[in-house]
């Protein structure tokens, strides 16, 4: 696990780290691992995962959030998303009523690259294809937008009430997403 970064803006937070054993979760992209219906979402196919995945996904979340005031509760839901070329997620959030839920994204693909002339160069553009973006509004009517480039094993966790989305991809991309209840040990 690489060093975890914890971003906090007023009452919102984002944890960014990696999970070294991410490859053992790749099996969920096979047809035998699905636990529910398949649905399409902005040129991306999503499939619900069985609740039996909770133990493994809880371990990932607890490792990433170790040393923060955020404690992992019960898993709310989990799914995989497979984006095709041009696939994206529009700006959205996962819950309206329950402020005690976080979203965890685990990535399995490299960041996309952008063409500069005839050579490929590493993605440095924050709005690069396939990037996750999270919007952290402030009470002074401004907002901060943090972006995260996909990388194998990268894990990004944030409150499910935070607006987030994905910049349209140029190539296929796979991500595992889970929502967990959470609480803080700080009073």
């Amino acid at each position: 696990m690489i060093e975890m970064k914890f971003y906090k803006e007023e009452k919102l937070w984002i944890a960014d780290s990696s999970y070294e054993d991410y490859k053992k979760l790749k099996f969920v992209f096979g047809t035998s691992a699905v636990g529910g219906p398949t649905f399409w979402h902005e040129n991306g196919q999503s499939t619900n995962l069985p609740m039996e995945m909770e133990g493994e996904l809880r371990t990932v979340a607890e490792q990433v959030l170790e040393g923060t005031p955020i404690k992992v509760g019960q898993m709310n839901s989990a799914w995989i998303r497979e984006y095709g070329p041009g696939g994206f997620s529009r700006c959205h959030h996962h819950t309206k009523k329950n402020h005690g839920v976080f979203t965890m994204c685990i990535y399995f693909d490299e960041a996309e690259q952008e063409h500069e002339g005839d050579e490929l160069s590493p993605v440095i553009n924050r709005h690069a294809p396939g990037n996750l973006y999270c919007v952290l509004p402030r009470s002074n009517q401004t907002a901060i937008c943090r972006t995260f480039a996909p990388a194998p094993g990268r894990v990004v966790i944030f409150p499910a009430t935070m607006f987030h989305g994905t910049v349209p991809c140029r190539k296929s991309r796979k991500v595992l997403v889970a929502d967990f209840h959470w609480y803080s040990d700080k009073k």
Side-chain angles (χ1 to χ4, degrees), residues 41-56:
H41 182 73
E42 289 118 7
N43 193 24
Q45 180 177 338
S46 295
T47 306
N48 291 330
L49 293 175
M51 291 303 282
E52 290 80 26
M53 294 283 306
E54 180 174 2
E56 180 68 29

Side-chain angles (χ1 to χ4, degrees), residues 59-159:
T59 298
V60 176
E62 288 173 345
Q63 286 180 11
V64 169
L65 294 169
E66 186 176 348
T68 73
I70 309 303
K71 302 301 173 199
V72 182
Q74 180 180 1
M75 188 169 81
N76 197 26
S77 59
W79 61 98
I80 54 174
R81 177 151 302 147
E82 296 184 70
Y83 293 97
F88 68 98
S89 288
R90 74 185 98 200
C91 192
H92 67 285
H93 57 81
H94 293 180
T95 183
K96 294 177 183 170
K97 297 178 183 176
N98 189 341
H99 291 274
V101 175
F102 69 69
T103 298
M104 174 174 69
C105 300
I106 304 172
Y107 294 93
F108 293 85
D109 305 304
E110 289 287 342
E112 297 185 42
Q113 297 187 342
E114 294 188 331
H115 292 278
E116 285 189 7
D118 295 328
E119 296 181 23
L120 287 174
S121 62
V123 172
I124 55 173
N125 179 352
R126 66 185 315 208
H127 304 294
N131 278 5
L132 166 71
Y133 61 87
C134 296
V135 180
L136 293 92
R138 296 172 163 173
S139 58
N140 66 358
Q141 306 299 315
T142 64
I144 294 174
C145 183
R146 294 242 181 234
T147 58
F148 304 90
R154 188 171 199 173
V155 180
V156 181
I157 301 176
F158 50 89

Side-chain angles (χ1 to χ4, degrees), residues 79 82 153 167 169 177:
W79 61 98
E82 296 184 70
V167 177
C169 303
V177 183

